[in-house]
Amino acid sequence: MAERIVRRRGYRQGLGGEMAAEFLGTFVLILLGVGSVAVAVAGLPGSGRQTGDFGPANWLIISWGWGLAVVFGVYVAGGISGAHLNPAVTLGFAARRDFPWRKVLPYWLAQVIGAFVAAALVYASYRWAIDAANTKADVPRDKSLPTYSIFATFPAEYFGDSWWGPLLDQIVGTGILLLLICALIDKRNTAPMSNLHPFLIGLVVVAIGLTFGTNAGYAINPARDFGPRLFTYFEGWGSIAFPGTFEWFSGYWWIPIVGPLIGGLAGVAVYDLLISPLIRARSVEPEEGPAREEP
């Protein structure tokens, strides 16, 4: 008789494995996304490879960089953890009962750590470019908003010290993200097939960057902002990182956390209240019975 092989469950098949996947998927997301900002802000201008100022075109590098970062982050972790890579996604899925509440905090922890480690690696690779940019601008690191912006977000100057405008921006941007993610993964609707979800979710992020990005840097992801922000605080950007204070804003650090969490809940609520009931109603098979005229 063939000997039965007993496999130990271990971390690979449990929550530990899912956390490892969330860590690595978020790591890839932040590594490529923050790396694209480093190219636009310090890499190209200081490398001698940019013969003239790109100006607004640099925003295309950033928007497409983040979109592609999402694509490959989702491919890394999708089959293991569902590739949330974003605490707002995790919270939104838990609220709609697609994800167990007991896993929310572990997923958040893995996402933040992955973002922190990725920011550290980007810094290690671009430290020379960052220092050269600060030297050229003749500003110390703790006064350099441009090099800080490689890693984390800040509000546009036209908001002044208002917290409501940036908060609304984060709620709207993340609401759009979760609304469209719900649509793209809903097989009852017109969800893409053949594992194309990561590409289309990445295009959603590109679209958000091109339409709402300049208001507050479209964090739309608490881990994406908080992990790198924490790293920049330890690396000398000081009060720009925490409490998030510069010439026209103060105490900003909480907005890219709270705004996306509210927006994520709003996005899934809109989809589940307006679209899901219609899909359920239209997918019900008509009952057999005597023919009658439509009213």
Side-chain angles (χ1 to χ4, degrees), residues 189-251:
N189 204 334
T190 55
M193 305 302 288
S194 302
N195 295 325
L196 287 176
H197 301 83
F199 279 105
L200 294 177
I201 293 172
L203 286 178
V204 169
V205 173
V206 173
I208 294 171
L210 294 177
T211 54
F212 288 91
T214 56
N215 273 337
Y218 74 113
I220 58 175
N221 180 338
R224 171 265 176 275
D225 190 85
F226 183 74
R229 182 182 294 271
L230 190 62
F231 174 79
T232 58
Y233 178 76
F234 290 133
E235 278 300 324
W237 274 272
S239 62
I240 301 178
F242 285 102
T245 297
F246 193 62
E247 294 174 0
W248 65 85
F249 58 89
S250 61

Side-chain angles (χ1 to χ4, degrees), residues 27-37 65-66 68-70 72-73 118 122:
F27 173 86
V28 170
L29 164 65
I30 302 304
L31 185 72
L32 300 181
V34 169
S36 73
V37 185
W66 277 109
L68 292 172
V70 169
F72 296 114
V122 172

Side-chain angles (χ1 to χ4, degrees), residues 94-257:
R96 72 193 309 237
R97 301 179 182 178
D98 285 344
F99 186 75
W101 282 101
R102 65 181 177 82
K103 293 184 178 181
V104 169
L105 290 180
Y107 266 49
W108 285 6
L109 178 63
Q111 292 155 1
V112 170
I113 294 174
F116 182 94
V117 175
L121 184 54
V122 172
Y123 173 78
S125 300
Y126 277 97
R127 176 171 59 86
W128 295 269
I130 290 169
D131 289 343
N134 288 338
T135 299
K136 183 177 180 180
D138 193 25
V139 293
R141 179 172 293 186
D142 63 351
K143 303 295 182 182
S144 177
L145 185 64
T147 55
Y148 161 80
S149 72
I150 292 172
F151 299 96
T153 64
F154 66 93
E157 191 169 358
Y158 46 71
F159 285 121
D161 199 24
S162 168
W163 60 267
W164 169 239
L167 181 65
L168 176 63
D169 170 79
Q170 289 300 290
I171 293 172
V172 171
T174 315
I176 294 170
L177 175 66
L178 266 293
L179 169 66
L180 296 180
I181 287 176
C182 288
L184 289 171
I185 65 174
D186 191 347
K187 294 181 179 179
R188 305 165 304 167
N189 204 334
T190 55
M193 305 302 288
S194 302
N195 295 325
L196 287 176
H197 301 83
F199 279 105
L200 294 177
I201 293 172
L203 286 178
V204 169
V205 173
V206 173
I208 294 171
L210 294 177
T211 54
F212 288 91
T214 56
N215 273 337
Y218 74 113
I220 58 175
N221 180 338
R224 171 265 176 275
D225 190 85
F226 183 74
R229 182 182 294 271
L230 190 62
F231 174 79
T232 58
Y233 178 76
F234 290 133
E235 278 300 324
W237 274 272
S239 62
I240 301 178
F242 285 102
T245 297
F246 193 62
E247 294 174 0
W248 65 85
F249 58 89
S250 61
Y252 182 77
W253 69 273
W254 62 274
I255 291 177
I257 297 174

